[in-house]
């Protein structure tokens, strides 16, 4: 086969077929002024110059490892053991595209099977799928699944404390359906009630009573749960959740400027056939050897097409593997200790920052990883000033509708030392004067 | 023995007392292979001849089940929840899917056993 796609003859033949004489005639529908805009691209550079230019641009970035980092709000700085990257960068895992064609990719299938098993244990649920695009996509898929499970009920009720950006994603997913999105306790028309555990601003709710109220309304109880928080909190499954979704980024995945991340999705055995996404199961081959297979595929788009439970097939195989390696490396004890550290450090930070003159901790009751600190003046101003010194005190909440401008969302993880927290207190004390 | 009549979509129906029992034909269960799940219609649901009223899932595919008759679902075979393979082993007896309270008219519109056999010959060609 020739590598030259079309010769002058080919082009002439194509134009003749179309009844045109020149290639330019193909573009007459585009207004003249926009047809051949002059591209303002500088001349080429040598490799050395390009590298220098890119590194000088890169130096303008501020990595979370440098300075003081208390910024959260959806993506979090956590410790990632080096074994995670070491396993991920193996060519067998790293280079393959959708590598788990049934039966031939036993390694990847087994890794996904282990991932599912560990997430199921953290969440206290029966089944977990092989992941979604991100946490918000998982939550939206859960809402769609609730509608399939509860025909005739078309309203999705949201608890307070759902991430404002997640709400936007939900709204996007529901566009074009007759589903409604409402905030507040579930009514008679509720397909489901969605709560976050912990909520967007860190608060931990009483899941059991929320679950009971939801089931009394005849709706499905959906919990968006942080997998690390589940290391010390009662699992959503034990509190009656029908579907659990989550953002898997805290499990060994770097923040990477906002993505890619990992959507977790779990449900009960009773609802498995309504669940979107791929599921890896374990079985025996003809000679009695254990093997992994994709299972429940009949719900999927390559078999059911227009009736598939979801037509978004992207999963995050490599990141699910990262999460599996992270969970395996830490083990049950390690995850519990990490969660405990995060909790303890958060409590310490709240007590230190809350006692600063003019500051007040707004979050009431128990919280995990994040809490709201009301500042004596607009939080954005304080954050902007401190950022110049390499201190990131948290997320100014005024970027979201309905949040007061003096509120700062402070995030504390196992990566923040006591010294870090004390330095932040000192810096906040200074700028507020 | 009760008279069994067939739909083009391979469901069968036969009168039993004042209800019609429905199931999947011998031919269809053989074609779809090992049945792993049957999504049954709900008792009390109104069903319409030739409209989907359930799903049957085998190891290789999922197919809609179409109601062979007009009427109302009076009873479903809950044994299929735990033993969906009954559809394979006993499609005309233990593997029945549901019982429908129906009129004789929609039953008469179905194919007779002989007509169905002729119809099947056309299916495999």
């Amino acid at each position: 086969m020739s590598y030259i796609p079309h010769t002058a003859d080919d082009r002439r033949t194509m134009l003749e077929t179309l009844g045109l004489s020149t290639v330019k005639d193909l573009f007459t529908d585009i207004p003249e002024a926009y047809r051949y805009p002059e591209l303002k691209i500088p001349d080429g550079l040598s490799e050395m110059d390009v590298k220098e230019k890119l590194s000088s641009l890169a130096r303008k970035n501020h990595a979370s490892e440098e300075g003081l980092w208390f910024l959260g709000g959806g993506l979090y700085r956590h410790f990632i053991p080096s074994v995670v990257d070491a396993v991920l960068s193996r060519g067998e895992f790293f280079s393959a595209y959708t590598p788990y064609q049934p039966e031939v990719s036993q390694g990847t299938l087994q890794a996904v099977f282990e991932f599912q098993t560990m997430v199921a244990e953290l969440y206290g649920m029966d089944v977990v799928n092989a992941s979604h695009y991100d946490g918000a996509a998982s939550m939206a898929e859960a809402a769609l699944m609730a509608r399939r499970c509860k025909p005739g009920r078309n309203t999705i009720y949201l608890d307070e404390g759902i991430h404002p950006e997640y709400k936007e994603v939900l709204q996007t997913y529901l566009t074009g359906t007759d589903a409604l999105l409402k905030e507040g306790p579930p009514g008679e028309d509720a397909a489901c009630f969605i709560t976050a555990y912990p909520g967007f601003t860190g608060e931990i709710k009483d899941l059991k009573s929320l679950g009971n109220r939801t089931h009394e309304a005849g709706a499905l109880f959906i919990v968006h749960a942080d997998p690390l928080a589940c290391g010390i909190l009662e699992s959503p499954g034990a509190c009656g959740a029908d579907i659990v979704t989550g953002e898997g980024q805290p499990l060994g995945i770097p923040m990477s400027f906002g993505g890619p991340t990992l959507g977790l999705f779990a449900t009960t055995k009773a609802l498995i056939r309504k669940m979107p996404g791929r599921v890896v199961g374990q079985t025996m081959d003809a000679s009695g050897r254990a093997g992994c297979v994709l299972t429940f595929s009949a719900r999927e788009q390559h078999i059911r097409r227009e009736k598939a439970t979801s037509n978004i097939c992207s999963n995050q195989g490599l990141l699910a593997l990262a999460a599996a390696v992270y969970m395996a490396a830490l083990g049950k004890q390690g995850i519990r200790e990490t969660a405990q550290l995060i909790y303890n450090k958060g409590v310490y930070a709240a007590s230190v920052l809350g006692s600063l003159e003019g500051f007040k901790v707004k979050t009431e009751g128990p919280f995990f990883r994040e809490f709201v600190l009301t500042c004596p003046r607009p939080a954005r101003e304080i954050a902007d000033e401190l950022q110049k010194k390499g201190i990131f005190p948290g997320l100014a909440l005024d970027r979201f509708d309905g949040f007061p401008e003096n509120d700062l969302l402070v995030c504390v993880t196992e990566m923040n030392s006591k010294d870090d927290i004390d330095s932040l207190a000192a810096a906040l004390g200074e700028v507020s004067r | 023995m009760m008279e069994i009549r067939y739909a083009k979509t391979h469901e069968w129906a036969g009168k039993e007392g004042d209800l019609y029992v429905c199931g999947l034909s011998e031919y269809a269960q053989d074609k779809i292979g090992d049945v792993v799940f049957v999504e049954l219609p709900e008792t009390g649901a109104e069903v319409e001849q030739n409209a989907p009223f359930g799903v049957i899932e085998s190891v290789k595919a999922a197919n809609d089940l179409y109601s062979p008759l007009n009427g109302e679902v009076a009873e479903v075979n809950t044994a299929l929840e735990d033993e969906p393979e009954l559809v394979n082993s006993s499609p005309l007896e233990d593997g029945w899917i549901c019982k429908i309270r129906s009129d004789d008219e929609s039953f008469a519109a179905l194919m007779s056993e002989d007509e169905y056999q002729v119809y099947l010959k056309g299916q495999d060609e």
Side-chain angles (χ1 to χ4, degrees):
Chain A
M1 188 181 124
S2 161
Y3 288 96
I4 299 161
H6 13 67
T7 61
D9 266 354
D10 292 337
R11 275 187 221 124
R12 196 165 45 243
T13 315
M14 287 190 279
L15 286 170
E16 268 171 22
T17 309
L18 293 169
L20 303 170
S21 50
T22 68
V23 173
K24 272 190 176 179
D25 297 342
L26 282 172
F27 301 103
T28 48
D29 288 338
I30 301 169
E32 179 82 53
Y34 300 105
R35 232 175 278 166
Y36 299 100
E38 195 188 326
L39 301 177
K40 288 176 187 144
I41 297 174
D43 288 340
L45 293 175
S46 71
E47 183 179 347
M48 234 163 74
D49 290 338
V50 170
K51 277 194 168 163
E52 174 47 36
K53 209 175 164 90
L54 290 179
S55 349
S56 78
L57 283 174
R59 278 193 294 274
K60 291 187 178 173
N61 287 328
H62 192 103
S64 61
E65 298 90 64
E66 303 156 13
L68 295 177
W69 189 268
F70 293 90
L71 198 50
L75 291 178
Y76 304 101
R77 184 174 68 126
H78 286 292
F79 179 69
I80 303 174
S82 43
V83 62
V84 173
D85 256 3
V87 174
L88 280 204
S89 36
R90 287 190 60 106
E92 303 92 311
F93 289 124
F94 204 79
S95 61
Y97 171 73
T98 313
Y100 51 94
Q101 296 309 326
E103 292 81 47
V104 293
S105 304
Q106 283 299 310
T108 299
L109 287 174
Q110 189 181 344
V112 171
F113 182 76
E114 304 294 347
F115 161 80
Q116 293 172 180
T117 307
M118 289 184 277
V119 174
E121 287 202 11
L122 267 177
Y123 280 166
M125 300 297 283
D126 300 328
V127 264
V128 170
N129 72 19
S131 83
H132 287 275
Y133 187 63
D134 61 15
S138 291
M139 186 189 281
E141 288 282 1
L144 296 180
M145 174 171 155
R147 294 222 49 223
R148 287 193 292 278
C149 296
K150 298 281 177 186
R153 289 165 165 255
N154 68 345
T155 310
I156 312 293
Y157 283 87
L158 302 181
D159 197 3
E160 288 167 1
I162 304 288
H163 196 303
E165 287 166 351
Y166 280 45
K167 286 187 210 166
E168 288 177 30
V169 173
L170 272 172
Q171 194 63 64
T172 305
Y173 263 73
L174 297 177
T175 302
T177 73
D178 60 354
L180 294 172
L181 210 53
K182 276 190 194 165
E183 297 195 30
E188 277 180 359
D189 56 345
C192 64
F193 175 71
I194 308 179
T195 191
Y197 188 62
F200 169 55
T201 49
E203 66 284 350
I204 298 164
K205 302 222 172 143
D206 176 4
L207 277 195
K208 274 191 181 148
S209 68
L210 287 175
N212 287 341
R213 194 169 67 183
T214 306
H215 289 144
E216 274 160 26
L220 288 190
F221 185 40
I222 300 177
V223 180
H224 185 79
D226 183 286
L228 272 186
C230 290
I232 45 168
L233 300 178
E234 187 157 27
S235 76
C239 299
D242 298 296
I243 304 173
V244 184
T245 61
E247 172 51 66
Q249 183 268 329
L251 304 174
I253 297 164
M255 294 185 282
S256 314
F257 303 97
T261 61
L262 168 70
L264 308 175
F265 194 108
T267 189
T268 59
K269 208 172 168 188
L271 300 180
I272 190 169
R273 284 170 201 278
K274 305 281 186 190
M275 178 171 82
R278 292 160 185 161
V279 182
V280 175
Q282 205 175 48
T283 186
M284 295 288 174
D285 72 4
S287 358
R289 293 170 302 190
C292 290
V293 289
L294 285 181
T295 185
F296 294 107
S297 298
R299 308 160 296 116
E300 287 193 66
Q301 57 182 343
H302 62 286
I303 294 183
R304 296 210 75 196
R305 298 175 196 280
E306 81 282 0
K307 288 195 173 175
T309 47
S310 169
N311 283 297
I312 295 183
C313 65
S314 290
N315 78 338
Q316 296 283 39
L318 193 67
L319 298 183
L321 175 67
V325 177
Y326 175 90
M327 288 185 280
L330 266 73
K332 265 187 193 173
Q333 186 65 18
I335 289 177
R336 188 177 301 134
E337 281 171 15
T338 303
Q340 188 68 52
L341 267 176
I342 295 167
Y343 179 77
N344 294 352
K345 288 181 179 215
V347 170
Y348 175 73
S351 76
V352 173
L353 302 182
S355 63
L356 291 171
E357 202 188 323
F359 289 86
K360 189 176 174 293
V361 173
K362 196 177 186 181
T363 306
E364 289 169 5
F367 63 87
F368 183 82
R369 201 198 277 118
E370 280 170 294
F371 60 90
V372 178
L373 184 70
T374 303
C375 305
R377 60 192 181 93
R380 185 183 289 267
E381 287 176 21
I382 293 179
D384 285 350
E385 272 174 50
L386 289 183
Q387 275 171 31
K388 287 178 193 137
K389 301 181 197 166
I391 300 170
F392 295 79
L395 184 66
L397 285 174
D398 71 337
R399 71 185 277 166
F400 302 112
D401 287 344
F403 285 92
E405 63 171 5
N406 285 20
D407 282 3
L408 183 72
L409 186 62
V410 181
C411 167
V412 183
T413 72
E414 78 281 12
M415 301 289 272
N416 299 108
S417 67
K418 180 173 179 295
D419 282 353
D420 287 354
I421 297 168
D422 294 340
S423 306
L424 174 65
L428 282 175
E430 234 164 75
V431 288
S432 66
R433 265 199 283 278
Chain B
M1 225 179 115
M2 67 178 165
E3 185 202 358
I4 287 183
R5 297 181 75 86
Y6 293 87
K8 282 186 175 171
T9 45
H10 307 287
E11 292 81 8
W12 59 263
K15 196 158 192 176
E16 189 189 82
D18 56 353
L19 299 176
Y20 285 94
V21 200
C22 308
L24 195 67
S25 77
E26 174 73 43
Y27 169 86
Q29 69 76 22
D30 186 54
K31 279 284 172 198
I32 64 173
D34 293 344
V35 173
V36 292
F37 179 68
V38 184
E39 188 185 298
L40 298 163
E42 282 188 30
T43 309
E46 292 284 328
V47 293
E48 195 186 321
Q49 193 165 37
N50 301 326
F53 76 154
V55 176
I56 192 154
E57 209 177 292
S58 69
V59 286
K60 56 183 176 185
N63 291 284
D64 282 326
L65 287 168
Y66 297 88
S67 177
L69 302 169
N70 291 322
E72 184 195 322
V73 177
E75 203 182 317
V76 295
N77 186 3
T78 49
L80 296 181
E81 286 168 7
D82 295 322
E83 287 180 274
E85 61 273 21
L86 289 175
V87 174
N88 295 119
S89 59
S90 177
L92 298 181
E93 283 163 28
D94 301 338
W96 63 278
I97 288 162
C98 67
K99 295 183 184 176
I100 298 176
R101 193 178 311 282
S102 178
D103 53 75
D104 299 331
E105 225 167 280
S106 58
F107 182 67
L110 298 171
M111 286 180 274
S112 70
E113 178 81 47
D114 291 345
E115 285 166 335
Y116 184 60
Q117 292 307 327
V118 173
Y119 172 71
L120 289 185
K121 277 192 188 132
Q123 294 283 299
D124 284 334
E125 270 159 19

